[in-house]
Amino acid sequence: MTMTLGTIPALLLAVATSCTVARDDAADTTADTSAAGAAGGAAATARTGEISGLDTPESVRYDAELDVYFISNIKGNAGAKDDNGYIARVQ
């Protein structure tokens, strides 16, 4: 098969359109509900509270159904697999 300059864009278009991913927006729990997202991207932050007593907070996940935050914490060396971490539940 000989390719010409006209077949390359058609081939690229065929590959690009065949690589779509189906999304289920109802299952997306990471939607932007912040004031910045609602205002169209203008960054607006305000401190509403502070939590103390956590060792090394690594990540946080909000569960809207339970109205609770889950915060994973690293205790000890972050690079070592020592089963020394924990998850804090904050309301």
Side-chain angles (χ1 to χ4, degrees):
M1 176 177 164
T2 304
M3 283 197 189
T4 64
L5 288 178
T7 58
I8 293 174
L11 182 61
L12 290 175
L13 180 63
V15 170
T17 57
S18 66
C19 295
T20 59
V21 177
R23 279 190 55 177
D24 183 8
D25 289 335
D28 185 9
T29 60
T30 60
D32 187 1
T33 58
S34 66
T45 59
R47 182 174 290 201
T48 59
E50 187 172 311
I51 300 170
S52 61
L54 301 176
D55 289 297
T56 306
E58 193 267 331
S59 60
V60 63
R61 172 78 178 186
Y62 177 69
D63 186 326
E65 188 175 309
L66 298 174
D67 191 27
V68 67
Y69 291 91
F70 293 98
I71 305 170
S72 63
N73 286 270
I74 300 170
K75 191 169 184 174
N77 185 356
K81 185 177 179 181
D82 54 7
D83 294 327
N84 212 11
Y86 61 95
I87 297 177
R89 181 179 169 154
V90 179
Q91 276 187 306

